[in-house]
Amino acid sequence: MADETTPVRKAHQFDTSKLAAYLAAAAPSVFSPTRDTLAVRQFKHGQSNPSFYLTIAPANAAGDTRAFVLRKKPPGKLLPGAHAVDREFRIISALHAQGFPVPTPIVYCADPSVIGTEFYLMQFVKGRIFRDPALPNVAPAERRAIYSAMAQTLAQLHSIDWRKAGLESFGKEGNYYERQLSTWSRQYRASATEHNEPMEKLMAWLPEHIPKDGAVVITHGDFRIDNMIFHPTEPRVLAVLDWELSTLGHPLSDLAYNAMTYHIPLGISGMPGLDGASTVDEDGRLSGGIPSENDYTRLYCQARRAAFPVPQWNFFVAFAFFRSAAILQGVYARSLQGNASAENAKQVGLGVMMAAQKGLELAHRAPGNSSSNSTPAPTTPHALKPASSSSASPNVFGYSERTVLLQARVTKFMEEHVYPRERDFFDFLNSAPSRWTVVPFMEELKAKAKREGLWNLFLPSVSGLTQLEYAPLAEIMGRSLIAPEVFNCGAPDTGNMEVLHLYGTAEQKERWLKPLLEGTIRSAFCMTEPAVASSDATNIQCTFRRVGDEYEITGRKWWSSGAGDPRCKVLIVMGVVVDENHKPTSTKAHGRHSMIIVPADAPGFKKIRPLTVFGYDDAPHGHLEVEFDHVRVPVSNILLGEGRGFEIAQGRLGPGRIHHCMRLIGLAERSLEVMLERVTTRVAFGRPLAHQGTILKDIADSRADIDTARLLTLKAAHLIDTRGTKQAMKEIALIKVVAPNAALRVIDRAIQAHGGAGVSQDFPLAHAYASARTLRIADGPDEVHRVTIAKSELGAFIRAKQSKL
Ligand SMILES: Cc1cc2nc3c(=O)[nH]c(=O)nc-3n(C[C@H](O)[C@H](O)[C@H](O)COP(=O)(O)OP(=O)(O)OC[C@H]3O[C@@H](n4cnc5c(N)ncnc54)[C@H](O)[C@@H]3O)c2cc1C
């Protein structure tokens, strides 16, 4: 017990001799001053009503020490109706009489003169309390049994005839959700500190969707696994604790509140959840024995003989999140006024946002959704296994809770919607009359990702995420070649949106940025030219000649990624502004070039041919050779101004390169997983490949490669966030060299471990390799970035040397 209790905190101390005297009179069988001694400690885990651990031992050491729990109101001025320990004692007494597992009630004292406030005493129940719903130190078989016992216990509570139990006046009957909505909306508004859009939407949605069913049962109000004491060795509930919020209400309010845990990500401190542990086996159980949400609600419904699947299940869980958000908002507002640490207050504030967002997500799912829809079994039509959430960028640096939450949500989305469609995507294109066509289900997936708020996460001004926060999300998206588009986070659109966002006029933004952000059009970026070494962009020759209030664009480009997509409606083109004699208007190497917006339907724009990368055409987006044959656009299409092309290129490429690198790390991580699967199941020379020393070395080297690349990439992201892109140029160049090379080594080892299969179309490794290989060239070849790194090192060295002279 020592680790659960602490000496009584100063603010909660009371006169134990007065307590002893009271108990001697009111509960003589429990305490006798001539026979016993009394010791008091306080429980660390504070519910809002402070709880104390009482041990009563025979003074002469003959006989057993008995343990009790005392619950009292907190000291100080309290809100009327709050901390009603008399209600707690009443409900525990009534339930105990019905044989429901609660601690045996001993005595209730209404007299505040004894220990300062009302209190009650109950027996201490010895057993296990699980603080983490993932049950980390429990065997898988027992985990299921524990969840089953929890569902049975809740069903037992809800099956009690509350009238017979003498609880008619314990709460109001009927209209439970109407009343709750009105109370919590009022409380929320009274404590709101800022506008919370998801909460507003949720508050508008819930009253419109209240289910007709008006069942009334005894509700616990805070039914969570850590409010239960389980038998020390058996999966059996010995007691349900903390009845402070109990009342008469709707049975599904408790079940849905309990099921919120399935929607809260794993690993959030203070709010542990199960989301992200959602690898479901063929029986619909989460890996590790814990039943899925669907399975768990079924266990409850079976025990209550209630309808399953639960109609309008999402309403109930959405409401539970709404209520939690409203409660947390109150705590948040108080923590801002009080002396809670800034970090604590921030965490609670994030909790409000997360709860509201989760609630809204559930509300947005199709009306009438049942729990059977909430955790579909994954399908793995591709040769690759779905992502293991454990391999997502590990939280070594303490990512923000928002990032952790988004990591879990993006991973879940990938597992449920993206990996299962990868093969369909390529099959569709292989059998379509033209490969330059839209894959229809991509638009559905995009709409789904948008609805779930997993959209445009790359753009800080839209998502509110820093580069460091976005980096681990890009990594997850990078695991699949088709994923970035689904989340509207794919190149070259991301870079082009950055450019329009940073440098576009209001009109340019309205016409092009808006539909790009909406995902209704796509774009291309045209810098590289076949005729010149474009790694040195000062060589770019395409010309922009001013003719009246238009520019005439003439030039040939290639590797214009995305230009093959029928949805590509706009191109950002780099060129040199020339006068009527076709002479550059500026002679400055880095001041001659400009960028201009060209609509893809402008007369004179021609698609010459798609290029292939090791035979892959990357349809339907492609990498095209294109021609601008005296294309005319209005002068207002120039971006930022004549001669400012390099300025724009720098602004565009910094974050873009980080995103490429993070996606590559995801691709490498997934390739390593594929390799691990292969080498543990394929036998050569009498033993699995994994037993060969060279394979072990390859695995170790791959892990080292991935982790090194990730750490450097996160460092670059952090520097962009804290010092700006310009100050992070060396680190950006560094990762642009390290990440593609590391990913290539990892993919190459995975290919080698697969033998012939590795280079075939049966595994995605060959395609992954081809894709990663281009990133040693695209966005600047390795050599150019090495020059940047080396010059920076030399510069720093020389400056340091000079400063010592
Ligand atoms: C799949 C793919 C997609 C692409 N997408 C786009 C796109 O959307 N838009 C776009 O504009 N471009 C795109 N590119 C083009 C890419 O950015 C260029 O290929 C790259 O910048 C190199 O230019 P280059 O091909 O003209 O090579 P060159 O400039 O001819 O260079 C050839 C080689 O010379 C070497 N080299 C160059 N400079 C140095 C140096 N200082 N020291 C030592 N060696 C050096 C390097 O090994 C380099 O690879 C893409 C390329 C690929 C492969």
Side-chain angles (χ1 to χ4, degrees):
M1 212 53 238
D3 55 341
E4 294 277 329
T5 64
T6 169
V8 177
R9 293 182 193 116
K10 201 153 182 224
H12 291 152
Q13 281 170 358
F14 53 79
D15 186 344
T16 47
S17 61
K18 275 193 170 179
L19 175 64
Y22 173 81
L23 291 178
S29 62
V30 168
F31 181 79
S32 150
T34 52
R35 187 186 64 206
D36 300 319
T37 59
L38 171 68
V40 182
R41 288 175 67 82
Q42 184 166 7
F43 283 96
K44 281 185 198 160
H45 282 279
Q47 298 90 345
S48 74
N49 290 334
S51 306
F52 301 84
Y53 180 62
L54 265 59
T55 43
I56 296 180
N60 61 9
D64 292 336
T65 299
R66 288 158 302 141
F68 300 87
V69 176
L70 183 150
R71 292 253 293 170
K72 71 189 278 292
K73 288 188 173 197
K77 203 162 167 253
L78 304 175
L79 290 173
H83 310 281
V85 293
D86 55 333
R87 272 176 67 83
E88 277 187 43
F89 188 75
R90 181 177 169 201
I91 184 92
I92 292 174
S93 304
L95 293 174
H96 189 258
Q98 297 293 318
F100 184 79
V102 281
T104 308
I106 309 287
V107 66
Y108 162 72
C109 170
D111 179 0
S113 71
V114 180
I115 61 167
T117 68
E118 294 166 47
F119 70 93
Y120 69 90
L121 195 71
M122 58 188 157
Q123 213 144 38
F124 172 74
V125 179
K126 204 168 169 199
R128 293 177 291 172
I129 297 183
F130 301 109
R131 303 270 173 222
D132 184 344
L135 305 181
N137 299 315
V138 177
E142 203 197 359
R143 286 187 186 138
R144 182 167 173 81
I146 285 171
Y147 269 73
S148 176
M150 183 161 69
Q152 306 274 350
T153 304
L154 187 60
Q156 184 187 350
L157 172 69
H158 292 164
S159 303
I160 291 171
D161 184 333
W162 43 273
R163 289 191 182 88
K164 280 199 189 140
L167 292 168
E168 287 93 339
S169 57
F170 196 63
K172 289 187 183 145
E173 261 184 73
N175 298 336
Y176 173 78
Y177 278 106
E178 284 85 348
R179 284 186 286 107
Q180 287 278 314
L181 271 168
S182 134
T183 305
W184 289 112
S185 299
R186 204 172 47 246
Q187 301 256 28
Y188 170 75
R189 294 239 178 270
S191 59
T193 44
E194 64 213 311
H195 180 75
N196 180 335
E197 187 63 19
M199 191 67 170
E200 292 299 328
K201 288 187 173 155
L202 190 55
M203 284 196 291
W205 183 87
L206 286 166
E208 301 293 315
H209 294 84
I210 296 176
K212 299 264 176 296
D213 160 30
V216 180
V217 300
I218 302 165
T219 55
H220 179 274
D222 195 9
F223 195 80
R224 301 184 313 210
I225 197 161
D226 62 341
N227 271 335
M228 261 155 262
I229 297 175
F230 284 83
H231 188 277
T233 55
E234 296 168 26
R236 190 150 58 83
V237 177
L238 296 183
V240 179
L241 309 176
D242 199 357
W243 293 87
E244 192 183 352
L245 295 172
S246 60
T247 185
L248 297 181
H250 196 282
L252 292 173
S253 64
D254 272 343
L255 186 67
Y257 178 83
N258 193 206
M260 281 198 308
T261 186
Y262 288 99
H263 301 266
I264 296 172
L266 275 177
I268 291 203
S269 59
M271 205 192 267
L274 291 169
D275 191 10
S278 54
T279 336
V280 185
D281 66 20
E282 60 281 4
D283 297 328
R285 285 175 215 151
L286 293 177
S287 60
I290 293 175
S292 66
E293 181 183 6
N294 193 36
D295 204 8
Y296 181 65
T297 48
R298 187 195 293 121
L299 287 170
Y300 167 87
C301 290
Q302 277 167 353
R304 276 213 82 208
R305 293 172 200 221
F308 179 83
V310 178
Q312 288 182 261
W313 175 242
N314 284 345
F315 168 89
F316 297 103
V317 190
F319 173 83
F321 274 110
F322 154 74
R323 177 172 168 267
S324 300
I327 292 173
L328 283 173
Q329 180 61 42
V331 178
Y332 179 55
R334 285 194 294 281
S335 70
L336 290 180
Q337 287 158 5
N339 49 10
S341 74
E343 190 46 35
N344 277 350
K346 194 173 133 205
Q347 296 307 327
V348 181
L350 283 169
V352 177
M353 192 49 89
M354 187 207 77
Q357 271 172 353
K358 279 278 159 196
L360 188 61
E361 256 171 50
L362 286 154
H364 278 172
R365 291 193 190 164
N369 260 359
S370 67
S371 58
S372 57
N373 294 341
S374 49
T375 47
T379 50
T380 55
H382 205 282
L384 279 179
K385 289 184 92 174
S388 84
S389 35
S390 62
S391 68
S393 187
N395 196 359
V396 188
F397 296 113
Y399 292 137
S400 65
E401 301 226 343
R402 195 169 138 82
T403 304
V404 174
L405 172 67
L406 283 165
Q407 271 182 308
R409 289 173 56 206
V410 175
T411 298
K412 192 166 180 227
F413 194 97
M414 294 280 288
E415 288 173 354
E416 289 179 1
H417 306 298
V418 178
Y419 300 119
R421 303 312 294 269
E422 283 177 324
R423 176 161 283 176
D424 299 344
F425 181 90
F426 296 109
D427 285 351
F428 177 87
L429 287 172
N430 288 339
S431 57
S434 161
R435 293 178 59 73
W436 309 100
T437 185
V438 179
V439 179
F441 66 76
M442 276 309 265
E443 292 303 313
E444 287 163 30
L445 291 185
K446 281 164 66 179
K448 207 176 280 239
K450 198 187 224 175
R451 270 202 306 277
E452 297 202 10
L454 303 176
W455 190 253
N456 291 332
L457 296 173
F458 73 97
L459 198 57
S461 59
V462 172
S463 65
L465 296 171
T466 62
Q467 298 297 340
L468 188 62
E469 287 178 315
Y470 174 62
L473 309 177
E475 175 178 332
I476 302 168
M477 296 174 198
R479 295 173 59 94
S480 166
L481 294 176
I482 70 166
E485 184 191 349
V486 172
F487 300 101
N488 216 35
C489 287
D493 294 331
T494 47
N496 290 338
M497 287 189 262
E498 295 255 21
V499 166
L500 289 164
H501 171 71
L502 290 174
Y503 309 111
T505 61
E507 195 190 322
Q508 290 165 347
K509 285 182 185 167
E510 179 64 25
R511 172 130 188 237
W512 302 115
L513 179 58
K514 210 168 154 191
L516 280 168
L517 285 170
E518 286 293 315
T520 50
I521 65 167
R522 299 211 64 190
S523 62
F525 179 69
C526 307
M527 183 190 82
T528 307
E529 300 180 359
V532 295
S534 304
S535 53
D536 175 1
T538 60
N539 285 338
I540 297 302
Q541 291 180 333
C542 176
T543 56
F544 303 164
R545 190 167 69 96
R546 180 95 184 234
V547 185
D549 54 4
E550 291 182 325
Y551 286 107
E552 183 183 81
I553 302 162
T554 308
R556 173 77 61 117
K557 300 278 180 184
W558 72 345
W559 294 109
S560 300
S561 299
D565 194 314
R567 295 162 300 180
C568 176
K569 300 293 179 209
V570 62
L571 312 116
I572 295 182
V573 184
M574 189 171 189
V576 186
V577 177
V578 293
D579 59 23
E580 62 279 13
N581 300 316
H582 297 272
K583 292 267 176 294
T585 52
S586 163
T587 50
K588 284 190 212 150
H590 290 92
R592 293 185 307 144
H593 291 83
S594 310
M595 289 205 193
I596 205 159
I597 299 171
V598 179
D601 59 1
F605 171 67
K606 296 175 193 159
K607 296 180 185 179
I608 307 296
R609 62 173 177 145
L611 300 162
T612 58
V613 174
F614 299 119
Y616 293 98
D617 62 7
D618 290 342
H621 322 303
H623 314 284
L624 265 63
E625 183 164 343
V626 299
E627 180 154 5
F628 296 85
D629 182 4
H630 301 87
V631 172
R632 292 283 187 96
V633 297
V635 288
S636 58
N637 278 24
I638 200 99
L639 279 157
L640 199 57
E642 288 187 9
R644 302 187 70 176
F646 275 91
E647 211 177 309
I648 297 175
Q650 290 310 324
R652 177 187 197 276
L653 290 178
R657 284 180 185 145
I658 295 256
H659 303 164
H660 271 314
C661 292
M662 288 313 298
R663 286 194 292 263
L664 276 169
I665 292 161
L667 199 61
E669 192 76 74
R670 192 173 176 192
S671 302
L672 176 58
E673 281 168 25
V674 180
M675 174 177 170
L676 294 173
E677 176 69 28
R678 184 76 170 185
V679 298
T680 49
T681 51
R682 193 130 169 123
V683 174
F685 301 100
R687 53 191 182 156
L689 288 171
H691 289 200
Q692 304 292 347
T694 56
I695 299 277
L696 294 176
K697 178 180 180 302
D698 280 354
I699 294 169
D701 287 350
S702 296
R703 172 51 60 213
D705 273 331
I706 294 172
D707 284 9
T708 309
R710 181 187 286 123
L711 289 174
L712 282 176
T713 307
L714 293 176
K715 180 184 171 194
H718 175 68
L719 287 176
I720 293 185
D721 289 336
T722 51
R723 296 194 200 159
T725 304
K726 218 168 164 189
Q727 296 302 317
M729 271 322 197
K730 183 179 88 178
E731 283 75 14
I732 293 170
L734 207 55
I735 55 159
K736 184 58 183 49
V737 176
V738 170
N741 283 287
L744 279 171
R745 287 194 295 273
V746 174
I747 302 167
D748 186 57
R749 291 182 197 116
I751 289 175
Q752 190 68 16
H754 277 71
V759 291
S760 76
Q761 73 275 31
D762 285 357
F763 286 82
L765 296 168
H767 199 172
Y769 189 88
S771 172
R773 181 63 183 83
T774 65
L775 281 159
R776 287 196 52 212
I777 299 170
D779 266 4
D782 287 359
E783 292 81 356
V784 173
H785 295 298
R786 286 201 175 101
V787 170
T788 307
I789 301 163
K791 278 187 175 169
S792 166
E793 287 295 303
L794 284 167
F797 173 76
I798 291 165
R799 278 194 302 280
K801 204 168 168 184
Q802 282 170 346
S803 71
K804 284 187 194 146
L805 293 177

